[in-house]
PDB file of all heavy atoms in Angstrom:
ATOM      1  N   SER Q 162      -7.234  66.641 -15.549  1.00  0.00           N
ATOM      2  CA  SER Q 162      -7.910  67.552 -14.626  1.00  0.00           C
ATOM      3  C   SER Q 162      -9.345  67.779 -15.081  1.00  0.00           C
ATOM      4  O   SER Q 162      -9.695  67.525 -16.239  1.00  0.00           O
ATOM      5  CB  SER Q 162      -7.175  68.898 -14.572  1.00  0.00           C
ATOM      6  OG  SER Q 162      -5.809  68.707 -14.246  1.00  0.00           O
ATOM      7  N   LEU Q 163     -10.176  68.284 -14.168  1.00  0.00           N
ATOM      8  CA  LEU Q 163     -11.568  68.600 -14.485  1.00  0.00           C
ATOM      9  C   LEU Q 163     -11.686  70.068 -14.871  1.00  0.00           C
ATOM     10  O   LEU Q 163     -11.215  70.955 -14.141  1.00  0.00           O
ATOM     11  CB  LEU Q 163     -12.470  68.302 -13.285  1.00  0.00           C
ATOM     12  CG  LEU Q 163     -12.678  66.823 -12.945  1.00  0.00           C
ATOM     13  CD1 LEU Q 163     -13.425  66.684 -11.623  1.00  0.00           C
ATOM     14  CD2 LEU Q 163     -13.429  66.092 -14.057  1.00  0.00           C
ATOM     15  N   LYS Q 164     -12.306  70.336 -16.014  1.00  0.00           N
ATOM     16  CA  LYS Q 164     -12.515  71.700 -16.487  1.00  0.00           C
ATOM     17  C   LYS Q 164     -14.018  71.966 -16.562  1.00  0.00           C
ATOM     18  O   LYS Q 164     -14.788  71.118 -17.050  1.00  0.00           O
ATOM     19  CB  LYS Q 164     -11.897  71.884 -17.876  1.00  0.00           C
ATOM     20  CG  LYS Q 164     -10.385  71.627 -17.908  1.00  0.00           C
ATOM     21  CD  LYS Q 164      -9.635  72.659 -17.096  1.00  0.00           C
ATOM     22  CE  LYS Q 164      -8.123  72.403 -17.156  1.00  0.00           C
ATOM     23  NZ  LYS Q 164      -7.374  73.359 -16.309  1.00  0.00           N
ATOM     24  N   LYS Q 165     -14.416  73.157 -16.119  1.00  0.00           N
ATOM     25  CA  LYS Q 165     -15.832  73.493 -16.092  1.00  0.00           C
ATOM     26  C   LYS Q 165     -16.377  73.717 -17.494  1.00  0.00           C
ATOM     27  O   LYS Q 165     -15.738  74.360 -18.327  1.00  0.00           O
ATOM     28  CB  LYS Q 165     -16.049  74.744 -15.248  1.00  0.00           C
ATOM     29  CG  LYS Q 165     -17.496  74.958 -14.843  1.00  0.00           C
ATOM     30  CD  LYS Q 165     -17.596  76.065 -13.799  1.00  0.00           C
ATOM     31  CE  LYS Q 165     -19.026  76.183 -13.292  1.00  0.00           C
ATOM     32  NZ  LYS Q 165     -19.145  77.214 -12.237  1.00  0.00           N
ATOM     33  N   LYS Q 166     -17.558  73.148 -17.752  1.00  0.00           N
ATOM     34  CA  LYS Q 166     -18.208  73.356 -19.042  1.00  0.00           C
ATOM     35  C   LYS Q 166     -18.691  74.807 -19.137  1.00  0.00           C
ATOM     36  O   LYS Q 166     -19.165  75.368 -18.139  1.00  0.00           O
ATOM     37  CB  LYS Q 166     -19.420  72.429 -19.191  1.00  0.00           C
ATOM     38  CG  LYS Q 166     -19.096  70.982 -19.467  1.00  0.00           C
ATOM     39  CD  LYS Q 166     -20.402  70.223 -19.671  1.00  0.00           C
ATOM     40  CE  LYS Q 166     -20.166  68.750 -19.919  1.00  0.00           C
ATOM     41  NZ  LYS Q 166     -21.463  68.028 -20.092  1.00  0.00           N
ATOM     42  N   PRO Q 167     -18.593  75.407 -20.309  1.00  0.00           N
ATOM     43  CA  PRO Q 167     -19.094  76.783 -20.478  1.00  0.00           C
ATOM     44  C   PRO Q 167     -20.588  76.864 -20.164  1.00  0.00           C
ATOM     45  O   PRO Q 167     -21.369  76.022 -20.602  1.00  0.00           O
ATOM     46  CB  PRO Q 167     -18.841  77.069 -21.967  1.00  0.00           C
ATOM     47  CG  PRO Q 167     -17.794  76.091 -22.385  1.00  0.00           C
ATOM     48  CD  PRO Q 167     -17.994  74.875 -21.544  1.00  0.00           C
ATOM     49  N   SER Q 168     -20.944  77.845 -19.370  1.00  0.00           N
ATOM     50  CA  SER Q 168     -22.341  78.145 -19.013  1.00  0.00           C
ATOM     51  C   SER Q 168     -23.056  76.994 -18.297  1.00  0.00           C
ATOM     52  O   SER Q 168     -24.275  76.962 -18.226  1.00  0.00           O
ATOM     53  CB  SER Q 168     -23.155  78.542 -20.260  1.00  0.00           C
ATOM     54  OG  SER Q 168     -23.357  77.409 -21.092  1.00  0.00           O
ATOM     55  N   LYS Q 169     -22.299  76.028 -17.801  1.00  0.00           N
ATOM     56  CA  LYS Q 169     -22.915  74.926 -17.053  1.00  0.00           C
ATOM     57  C   LYS Q 169     -22.150  74.688 -15.759  1.00  0.00           C
ATOM     58  O   LYS Q 169     -20.965  75.001 -15.649  1.00  0.00           O
ATOM     59  CB  LYS Q 169     -22.934  73.640 -17.888  1.00  0.00           C
ATOM     60  CG  LYS Q 169     -23.887  73.695 -19.080  1.00  0.00           C
ATOM     61  CD  LYS Q 169     -23.969  72.339 -19.760  1.00  0.00           C
ATOM     62  CE  LYS Q 169     -24.942  72.379 -20.931  1.00  0.00           C
ATOM     63  NZ  LYS Q 169     -25.031  71.070 -21.617  1.00  0.00           N
ATOM     64  N   ASN Q 170     -22.827  74.088 -14.792  1.00  0.00           N
ATOM     65  CA  ASN Q 170     -22.188  73.838 -13.496  1.00  0.00           C
ATOM     66  C   ASN Q 170     -21.667  72.403 -13.407  1.00  0.00           C
ATOM     67  O   ASN Q 170     -21.711  71.775 -12.361  1.00  0.00           O
ATOM     68  CB  ASN Q 170     -23.177  74.104 -12.363  1.00  0.00           C
ATOM     69  CG  ASN Q 170     -22.452  74.350 -11.047  1.00  0.00           C
ATOM     70  OD1 ASN Q 170     -21.312  74.816 -11.038  1.00  0.00           O
ATOM     71  ND2 ASN Q 170     -23.100  74.022  -9.946  1.00  0.00           N
ATOM     72  N   THR Q 171     -21.215  71.856 -14.523  1.00  0.00           N
ATOM     73  CA  THR Q 171     -20.642  70.505 -14.556  1.00  0.00           C
ATOM     74  C   THR Q 171     -19.237  70.565 -15.143  1.00  0.00           C
ATOM     75  O   THR Q 171     -18.832  71.574 -15.738  1.00  0.00           O
ATOM     76  CB  THR Q 171     -21.515  69.563 -15.401  1.00  0.00           C
ATOM     77  OG1 THR Q 171     -21.694  70.143 -16.700  1.00  0.00           O
ATOM     78  CG2 THR Q 171     -22.861  69.332 -14.755  1.00  0.00           C
ATOM     79  N   TYR Q 172     -18.514  69.451 -14.998  1.00  0.00           N
ATOM     80  CA  TYR Q 172     -17.104  69.432 -15.391  1.00  0.00           C
ATOM     81  C   TYR Q 172     -16.815  68.327 -16.402  1.00  0.00           C
ATOM     82  O   TYR Q 172     -17.464  67.279 -16.411  1.00  0.00           O
ATOM     83  CB  TYR Q 172     -16.228  69.231 -14.153  1.00  0.00           C
ATOM     84  CG  TYR Q 172     -16.345  70.347 -13.150  1.00  0.00           C
ATOM     85  CD1 TYR Q 172     -17.332  70.305 -12.155  1.00  0.00           C
ATOM     86  CD2 TYR Q 172     -15.495  71.448 -13.197  1.00  0.00           C
ATOM     87  CE1 TYR Q 172     -17.466  71.323 -11.234  1.00  0.00           C
ATOM     88  CE2 TYR Q 172     -15.617  72.482 -12.271  1.00  0.00           C
ATOM     89  CZ  TYR Q 172     -16.600  72.416 -11.303  1.00  0.00           C
ATOM     90  OH  TYR Q 172     -16.725  73.437 -10.398  1.00  0.00           O
ATOM     91  N   LEU Q 173     -15.818  68.589 -17.220  1.00  0.00           N
ATOM     92  CA  LEU Q 173     -15.334  67.611 -18.189  1.00  0.00           C
ATOM     93  C   LEU Q 173     -13.865  67.298 -17.913  1.00  0.00           C
ATOM     94  O   LEU Q 173     -13.078  68.218 -17.647  1.00  0.00           O
ATOM     95  CB  LEU Q 173     -15.457  68.158 -19.621  1.00  0.00           C
ATOM     96  CG  LEU Q 173     -16.799  68.014 -20.328  1.00  0.00           C
ATOM     97  CD1 LEU Q 173     -16.709  68.662 -21.702  1.00  0.00           C
ATOM     98  CD2 LEU Q 173     -17.195  66.548 -20.465  1.00  0.00           C
ATOM     99  N   PRO Q 174     -13.455  66.009 -17.976  1.00  0.00           N
ATOM    100  CA  PRO Q 174     -12.033  65.683 -17.770  1.00  0.00           C
ATOM    101  C   PRO Q 174     -11.217  65.980 -19.031  1.00  0.00           C
ATOM    102  O   PRO Q 174     -11.660  65.675 -20.145  1.00  0.00           O
ATOM    103  CB  PRO Q 174     -12.060  64.183 -17.464  1.00  0.00           C
ATOM    104  CG  PRO Q 174     -13.310  63.677 -18.115  1.00  0.00           C
ATOM    105  CD  PRO Q 174     -14.287  64.810 -18.134  1.00  0.00           C
ATOM    106  N   GLU Q 175     -10.041  66.549 -18.852  1.00  0.00           N
ATOM    107  CA  GLU Q 175      -9.149  66.868 -19.971  1.00  0.00           C
ATOM    108  C   GLU Q 175      -7.711  66.536 -19.604  1.00  0.00           C
ATOM    109  O   GLU Q 175      -7.315  66.645 -18.432  1.00  0.00           O
ATOM    110  CB  GLU Q 175      -9.225  68.356 -20.329  1.00  0.00           C
ATOM    111  CG  GLU Q 175     -10.544  68.803 -20.914  1.00  0.00           C
ATOM    112  CD  GLU Q 175     -10.531  70.299 -21.247  1.00  0.00           C
ATOM    113  OE1 GLU Q 175      -9.446  70.939 -21.107  1.00  0.00           O
ATOM    114  OE2 GLU Q 175     -11.592  70.834 -21.630  1.00  0.00           O
ATOM    115  N   VAL Q 176      -6.916  66.171 -20.616  1.00  0.00           N
ATOM    116  CA  VAL Q 176      -5.480  65.964 -20.412  1.00  0.00           C
ATOM    117  C   VAL Q 176      -4.812  67.331 -20.338  1.00  0.00           C
ATOM    118  O   VAL Q 176      -4.877  68.122 -21.292  1.00  0.00           O
ATOM    119  CB  VAL Q 176      -4.867  65.127 -21.551  1.00  0.00           C
ATOM    120  CG1 VAL Q 176      -3.349  65.071 -21.412  1.00  0.00           C
ATOM    121  CG2 VAL Q 176      -5.454  63.718 -21.556  1.00  0.00           C
ATOM    122  N   THR Q 177      -4.193  67.625 -19.198  1.00  0.00           N
ATOM    123  CA  THR Q 177      -3.518  68.919 -19.040  1.00  0.00           C
ATOM    124  C   THR Q 177      -2.004  68.802 -19.149  1.00  0.00           C
ATOM    125  O   THR Q 177      -1.311  69.808 -19.240  1.00  0.00           O
ATOM    126  CB  THR Q 177      -3.884  69.546 -17.683  1.00  0.00           C
ATOM    127  OG1 THR Q 177      -3.651  68.585 -16.639  1.00  0.00           O
ATOM    128  CG2 THR Q 177      -5.357  69.942 -17.668  1.00  0.00           C
ATOM    129  N   TYR Q 178      -1.495  67.577 -19.106  1.00  0.00           N
ATOM    130  CA  TYR Q 178      -0.052  67.360 -19.325  1.00  0.00           C
ATOM    131  C   TYR Q 178       0.133  65.977 -19.905  1.00  0.00           C
ATOM    132  O   TYR Q 178      -0.571  65.036 -19.539  1.00  0.00           O
ATOM    133  CB  TYR Q 178       0.734  67.488 -18.016  1.00  0.00           C
ATOM    134  CG  TYR Q 178       2.212  67.176 -18.179  1.00  0.00           C
ATOM    135  CD1 TYR Q 178       3.105  68.135 -18.629  1.00  0.00           C
ATOM    136  CD2 TYR Q 178       2.692  65.897 -17.911  1.00  0.00           C
ATOM    137  CE1 TYR Q 178       4.454  67.835 -18.810  1.00  0.00           C
ATOM    138  CE2 TYR Q 178       4.042  65.589 -18.081  1.00  0.00           C
ATOM    139  CZ  TYR Q 178       4.908  66.569 -18.534  1.00  0.00           C
ATOM    140  OH  TYR Q 178       6.240  66.264 -18.717  1.00  0.00           O
ATOM    141  N   GLN Q 179       1.081  65.866 -20.825  1.00  0.00           N
ATOM    142  CA  GLN Q 179       1.333  64.569 -21.465  1.00  0.00           C
ATOM    143  C   GLN Q 179       2.827  64.422 -21.761  1.00  0.00           C
ATOM    144  O   GLN Q 179       3.471  65.352 -22.233  1.00  0.00           O
ATOM    145  CB  GLN Q 179       0.551  64.499 -22.779  1.00  0.00           C
ATOM    146  CG  GLN Q 179       0.878  63.290 -23.633  1.00  0.00           C
ATOM    147  CD  GLN Q 179       0.329  63.465 -25.039  1.00  0.00           C
ATOM    148  OE1 GLN Q 179      -0.717  64.088 -25.223  1.00  0.00           O
ATOM    149  NE2 GLN Q 179       1.026  62.946 -26.030  1.00  0.00           N
ATOM    150  N   PHE Q 180       3.364  63.267 -21.435  1.00  0.00           N
ATOM    151  CA  PHE Q 180       4.772  62.978 -21.735  1.00  0.00           C
ATOM    152  C   PHE Q 180       4.884  61.514 -22.185  1.00  0.00           C
ATOM    153  O   PHE Q 180       4.314  60.636 -21.548  1.00  0.00           O
ATOM    154  CB  PHE Q 180       5.633  63.210 -20.489  1.00  0.00           C
ATOM    155  CG  PHE Q 180       7.045  62.723 -20.650  1.00  0.00           C
ATOM    156  CD1 PHE Q 180       7.957  63.438 -21.407  1.00  0.00           C
ATOM    157  CD2 PHE Q 180       7.459  61.527 -20.065  1.00  0.00           C
ATOM    158  CE1 PHE Q 180       9.253  62.987 -21.569  1.00  0.00           C
ATOM    159  CE2 PHE Q 180       8.751  61.059 -20.230  1.00  0.00           C
ATOM    160  CZ  PHE Q 180       9.650  61.799 -20.986  1.00  0.00           C
ATOM    161  N   PRO Q 181       5.590  61.225 -23.271  1.00  0.00           N
ATOM    162  CA  PRO Q 181       6.190  62.194 -24.214  1.00  0.00           C
ATOM    163  C   PRO Q 181       5.133  62.781 -25.142  1.00  0.00           C
ATOM    164  O   PRO Q 181       4.035  62.232 -25.284  1.00  0.00           O
ATOM    165  CB  PRO Q 181       7.182  61.326 -24.981  1.00  0.00           C
ATOM    166  CG  PRO Q 181       6.578  59.966 -24.969  1.00  0.00           C
ATOM    167  CD  PRO Q 181       5.882  59.835 -23.645  1.00  0.00           C
ATOM    168  N   LYS Q 182       5.471  63.878 -25.787  1.00  0.00           N
ATOM    169  CA  LYS Q 182       4.567  64.521 -26.737  1.00  0.00           C
ATOM    170  C   LYS Q 182       4.524  63.707 -28.030  1.00  0.00           C
ATOM    171  O   LYS Q 182       5.507  63.073 -28.422  1.00  0.00           O
ATOM    172  CB  LYS Q 182       5.053  65.934 -27.073  1.00  0.00           C
ATOM    173  CG  LYS Q 182       5.135  66.863 -25.872  1.00  0.00           C
ATOM    174  CD  LYS Q 182       3.749  67.271 -25.408  1.00  0.00           C
ATOM    175  CE  LYS Q 182       3.838  68.279 -24.264  1.00  0.00           C
ATOM    176  NZ  LYS Q 182       2.506  68.633 -23.743  1.00  0.00           N
ATOM    177  N   LEU Q 183       3.364  63.712 -28.692  1.00  0.00           N
ATOM    178  CA  LEU Q 183       3.239  63.058 -29.993  1.00  0.00           C
ATOM    179  C   LEU Q 183       3.690  64.043 -31.063  1.00  0.00           C
ATOM    180  O   LEU Q 183       3.213  65.178 -31.114  1.00  0.00           O
ATOM    181  CB  LEU Q 183       1.791  62.623 -30.246  1.00  0.00           C
ATOM    182  CG  LEU Q 183       1.217  61.604 -29.260  1.00  0.00           C
ATOM    183  CD1 LEU Q 183      -0.231  61.297 -29.608  1.00  0.00           C
ATOM    184  CD2 LEU Q 183       2.021  60.321 -29.270  1.00  0.00           C
TER     185      LEU Q 183
END
Side-chain angles (χ1 to χ4, degrees):
S162 305
L163 290 172
K164 300 294 181 183
K165 196 169 186 178
K166 285 183 181 179
S168 71
K169 291 186 179 180
N170 201 28
T171 54
Y172 297 88
L173 276 178
E175 292 180 5
V176 173
T177 52
Y178 176 83
Q179 172 194 327
F180 171 76
K182 300 287 184 183
L183 298 178

